[in-house]
Amino acid sequence: MKKGRVYLVGAGPGDPDLLSIKALRILQKADVVVYDNLVTKPILELIPEKVKKIYVGKRPRKHKVSQDKINEILVSETQQGKVVVRLKGGDPFLFARGGEEAQKLRKAGIQFEVVPGITSALAVPAYAGIPVTHRNYASSVAIVTGHEDPTKLKSRVKWEKLATSVDTIVVLMGVEKLEGIVKSLLDGGRDPLTNVAIIENGTTNNQRIITGTLNDIVQKAREKRVTPPAVIVIGDVVKMRKELSWLKRG
């Protein structure tokens, strides 16, 4: 039997044109693709019909498949001599548990390769006309998760310290924790008039942008019924959106 192999592949932020050439090449030769909720339909349509597709997507409060089960699937399919692609939205090593999966594969003695993807933390703001750094506005940027391991006794994100130590803060998976995030940043001394953008379904045909300040963004998000997936950008760079907006749909 031939030896199996796992590719931990980043699918990018949603727009299929942002999928890397290497990722596409690997998808074409895969036997099995194990994919997440954030992998968009246009990207799935690039996978040959003969390839076995296994959906293991997770949504807030609606986890379809546990991480332990996902690990089992990767090991089991690969041990049958198959080429297995673990396809994840964004980049597999940025808040996507790719590191954990790589550890499990290494422990099981399975060969793997990591194929980086374009992270939504940078691409989604860019598609909204927001550079996360700019010489006049921001010399530093922090990428933070808004959805930590629920089993943690205490958050490892020091929002109050981030509040005034970083020019631009990009929050992934933070819609449901928006109110708490905003409160922590204000408690940490961030200016209430700091600009904020929430970009829903970024880089896709359904992209929507809600802007405001730390003072009013929670209320605006409620009024607009913002839902995941969305990227939150906090900082003066958001001011540039009107000037640099470039994406035209339809």
Side-chain angles (χ1 to χ4, degrees):
M1 180 185 293
K2 68 176 183 178
K3 202 166 187 178
R5 187 181 187 89
V6 175
Y7 292 89
L8 301 170
V9 177
D15 184 341
D17 287 342
L18 296 180
L19 190 71
S20 73
I21 293 172
K22 184 170 185 178
L24 181 59
R25 177 170 53 80
I26 290 170
L27 286 173
Q28 298 295 319
K29 71 174 185 180
D31 297 309
V32 181
V33 174
V34 182
Y35 68 97
D36 280 347
N37 180 58
L38 292 177
V39 179
T40 59
K41 186 178 178 181
I43 290 175
L44 292 175
E45 289 173 348
L46 296 173
I47 303 170
E49 288 186 14
K50 65 178 182 179
V51 176
K52 180 180 179 182
K53 303 175 188 67
I54 303 175
Y55 174 65
V56 294
K58 300 184 181 79
R59 297 189 184 194
R61 298 187 301 276
K62 294 181 181 178
H63 284 199
K64 182 178 178 66
V65 182
S66 71
Q67 187 61 50
D68 285 343
K69 181 60 178 176
I70 293 171
N71 296 339
E72 283 180 28
I73 291 170
L74 296 177
V75 171
S76 174
E77 294 287 343
T78 311
Q79 286 177 337
Q80 297 174 48
K82 297 177 181 177
V83 174
V84 178
V85 174
R86 178 68 173 103
L87 189 61
K88 298 169 172 288
D91 180 89
F93 273 12
L94 183 65
F95 304 136
R97 306 190 75 167
E100 296 172 48
E101 290 169 356
Q103 285 179 302
K104 295 293 184 182
L105 295 169
R106 179 56 52 83
K107 188 175 181 180
I110 291 172
Q111 291 186 330
F112 66 86
E113 184 174 333
V114 180
V115 181
I118 295 177
T119 173
S120 60
L122 303 180
V124 167
Y127 267 53
I130 300 171
V132 295
T133 64
H134 187 282
R135 287 205 302 173
N136 295 334
Y137 294 107
S139 298
S140 58
V141 57
I143 301 172
V144 191
T145 179
H147 181 73
E148 292 186 87
D149 184 344
T151 63
K152 285 182 181 177
L153 297 178
K154 188 177 181 182
S155 172
R156 296 190 66 178
V157 180
K158 304 297 189 286
W159 293 104
E160 288 83 357
K161 290 185 177 181
L162 280 173
T164 55
S165 61
V166 179
D167 295 320
T168 305
I169 303 173
V170 179
V171 185
L172 306 183
M173 300 175 288
V175 170
E176 296 200 333
K177 301 290 180 66
L178 179 62
E179 186 172 1
I181 291 169
V182 168
K183 182 180 184 305
S184 295
L185 292 175
L186 291 173
D187 289 346
R190 192 79 177 205
D191 187 343
L193 297 181
T194 299
N195 290 83
V196 183
I198 303 176
I199 308 140
E200 192 180 70
N201 297 307
T203 79
T204 74
N205 288 326
N206 298 318
Q207 177 171 297
R208 184 170 67 132
I209 305 167
I210 294 88
T211 58
T213 65
L214 287 176
N215 258 343
D216 61 18
I217 195 62
V218 173
Q219 182 60 34
K220 286 187 174 183
R222 287 197 191 112
E223 291 171 355
K224 299 294 185 180
R225 300 181 183 275
V226 173
T227 59
V231 173
I232 303 165
V233 185
I234 302 162
D236 288 343
V237 289
V238 174
K239 297 176 183 177
M240 305 192 70
R241 189 183 77 81
K242 288 185 179 179
E243 180 184 354
L244 301 185
S245 178
W246 59 269
L247 185 64
K248 298 292 186 294
R249 293 299 189 189

